[in-house]
Each structure stands twice: as C-alpha cells, then as structure tokens.
Amino acid sequence: MLMMATLLSVTSVLMSGGCTRRLLEDEYIPTAVVPVSINWSASGVPVEEMHRASVWLFPVNGEEPLQYHLEGNLNYREITVPVGVYSILVFNETIDEADWEGITFTGTNHYETFAAMSIPDAGRGLYTRSDTLPLVLTPEPLAVWSLDRFEVTPEMVNSTRSIANTRSGEQRAALENVAPGLTMIKPEPRIKQLTITAYITNLSSSMQVTGTIDGMAAGVYMVSGEKIPSTVTYPFLLNGRVYEDNGKDGTTTRTFNVFGKVSDRKAHQKMTLDILLADGTLYPRETFDATGLMVINPEPVIPTYMVNVGYDNANGDHLTVLPDMGTEGTISVGGWDEVIVPVK
C-alpha cells in the first residue's frame, strides 16, 4: 500500500508540473490586433534595398520574445499580440545570417543585451601585411527603434477584434486610435560612416593604396546605441581619386560603414597605409594616429567620421611623397574598383 501511495503521489506531481509548463491545445489565449506603422525616412536604409523588417516583443516577465516580420509592405502590418506588458525592438531585415554579410547578432533573448556585432574577415586578401587582428567585414546599414514599455490590455482585445472584423475602409485609423504606441515608429541608424582621404604627392605613381584602421568598436547594443567596448580593425581600399592640374598629385578616398568609436577615452585609432607603386614595389608603410584626426560630421542621415592624412595644414607640408615615375593620372572618383593586387 505504501508503494502504491508513493506512485500515486509522484504521478500527481508530474501531471501537475506538466499542466504548468505547457498550454492545452484547446486553451484560448486572448490576443489583440495591434497596428505597426514604420517610417524609414530617418533610417539611412533605402526601403527599396530592404528585404524584410523585424518587430520583436520582449515580455517583461522574462518569457521568450515574440517575433514578427514585415515582407512586401515594409511600412505597415497588423500583428496579433497576447495580453501582457512588453518592451519592443524594431529593425531592418532579421537576425537570419542570410540577411547579412558583415553583421551577426548576440544576446537576442533579452531586450537590453540585444547587440549587433562585427564578423571577422576570413579572407584577408589584400591585407596580409596587417599585424593587427581581428580584421572585420564592413557592416551593412542598420537602423533601430525601441520602446521600453507597451501594454496590451484585455480591453484592447475586444475593441481591436471588433474593428478588425468589420473590414471597413477606416479600419486602420480606428485600430491606431484604439491601440496607439506602435504607429509612430521611426528607426534611426545604429552605424556611422567613415571617410578616409589621403593626400599623396605623385599619386599617379601608385597602382594601389590599401590600409587598416583599428581601435573601432566591435559592435553596438541595439536599444541603447552604446558601443561594445572591445575593438576591431577595418581594412580598406582607397579607390576614389581626384588629381590636381599637374596630373600627378592628388587625393584618394574611401567611405565605408563602421559601428563607431569605443566610448573609452583611452582607446586610440591607429591607421596604416600600404602603397603599391606602379613598378610593382612597395612604398614604406606609413602609420598615423587617427584619434585626433577623426572629426564627426553629424549632418548626414548617417553621421560620418572624417579622417584626412598626408598633408600638414600647420606647416603646409606634403607628408606622403612618392617617387615620380613619369606617369600621369587619368582616374577620378569612383575609379580603380576592380584593381586587385595582393600585398604580401
């Protein structure tokens, strides 16, 4: 009898535990119809270049986040949401690795820890001379909007369901009036751009100018915009050229995306330039402390860091002087994209 009683007791506990861990198939979960309206004008991401958009709802009770995707129409969707209190995160694309080449996501189970991170560059290619690791890929444009608290009440369930069932022409406006909070979503950039410009005397004597810049942030927290404190190194190819009237001296430039600078004031940005001359030889590597040279321009939709090297404004000196090989440049901005010469 004692064994039978023990077995019944254990069975009762297991059955009780099972009921608390999962819902019965026919159990009703009240959900409200919530309109999601997104304005991408301040995002820096052209809508025509987007494939999808994501809306994540994080229950404040710690349960698994809910995910919704917008496809086709990336500006509006009506989602069904269970009664509860949520924090909300909206961004372009999804966390699917197929949507990104230069970004991966970590800490996605929690609102505050959700972060976008750089992806290491597996093929170092042109930059085999770099002694700084890791080299990372350039991140794609990323824009984010967040809301710390959004509540779906039982009253919203009945009112939004009745409106949705009418299928009237005023349905969207009526839903936005009953369930406000997600109708003024305006994502903003979570990346910055970096423009590097080098002034070079006898630029026409160079076949290619590559380089690296380190001390840049490895990623960014999606909600706060705070930079990940670890640093990475970006490789770059300066491929836009503008020559002076003599056809020899000029500037070469490149603009690419970065997550920004690390907030730590002790972090420095070191930049190197490797110049491959027209005769196939390497000009001695040049190294610059770009920390003091990096100036932010906040005016564009995506704020831009500006770094200019090779010219000493104080003394009027040209700092990078290549040997004159008797060649003249005919390539202007946007040229030399296809020139690939491995540097070993």
Side-chain angles (χ1 to χ4, degrees), residues 46-101:
V47 176
E48 60 273 15
E49 296 180 10
M50 292 171 51
H51 305 91
R52 295 182 285 181
S54 295
V55 179
W56 285 53
L57 275 66
F58 296 83
V60 296
N61 61 10
E63 293 181 356
E64 289 290 317
L66 308 176
Q67 297 184 50
Y68 306 86
H69 295 151
L70 281 70
E71 298 187 53
N73 184 352
L74 300 179
N75 300 107
Y76 184 80
R77 180 187 166 181
E78 295 168 6
I79 61 177
T80 56
V81 184
V83 170
V85 181
Y86 304 89
S87 298
I88 301 178
L89 186 65
V90 178
F91 56 97
N92 58 299
E93 305 301 345
T94 72
I95 65 169
D96 189 333
E97 62 180 15
D99 286 344
W100 306 92
E101 292 183 0

Side-chain angles (χ1 to χ4, degrees), residues 172-200:
R172 174 172 170 175
L175 282 175
E176 292 180 352
N177 185 54
V178 173
L182 300 186
T183 57
M184 297 294 290
I185 297 175
K186 199 169 184 178
E188 297 182 350
R190 277 293 179 263
I191 62 165
K192 290 182 171 60
Q193 289 189 323
L194 174 60
T195 296
I196 297 174
T197 302
Y199 182 91
I200 300 176

Side-chain angles (χ1 to χ4, degrees), residues 251-303:
T251 59
T252 178
T253 187
R254 185 63 176 263
T255 298
F256 55 94
N257 296 331
V258 297
F259 284 117
K261 297 195 300 182
V262 174
S263 301
D264 186 356
R265 294 183 180 180
K266 296 180 181 179
H268 287 267
Q269 288 74 46
K270 184 182 74 173
M271 192 175 81
T272 64
L273 285 184
D274 288 312
I275 302 175
L276 185 65
L277 299 176
D279 63 1
T281 61
L282 276 172
Y283 185 75
R285 166 175 284 183
E286 295 195 305
T287 301
F288 306 88
D289 184 353
T291 308
L293 302 175
M294 195 172 293
V295 180
I296 187 71
N297 180 2
E299 294 184 2
V301 174
I302 301 178

Side-chain angles (χ1 to χ4, degrees), residues 201-223:
T201 300
N202 292 322
L203 174 63
S204 61
S205 295
S206 68
M207 186 183 301
Q208 186 179 77
V209 183
T210 64
T212 61
I213 185 164
D214 62 18
M216 305 302 291
V220 64
Y221 289 106
M222 300 279 275
V223 173

Side-chain angles (χ1 to χ4, degrees), residues 12 27 32 37 44 49 55 91 101 131 152 156-157 159 163 167 193 204 211 215 226 229 237 261 284 302 326 334 344:
S12 176
E27 185 171 348
S37 182
E49 296 180 10
V55 179
F91 56 97
E101 292 183 0
D131 53 8
V152 177
M156 288 172 60
V157 173
S159 56
I163 294 172
R167 301 295 179 186
Q193 289 189 323
S204 61
E226 183 179 347
L237 166 67
K261 297 195 300 182
I302 301 178
K344 299 181 180 180

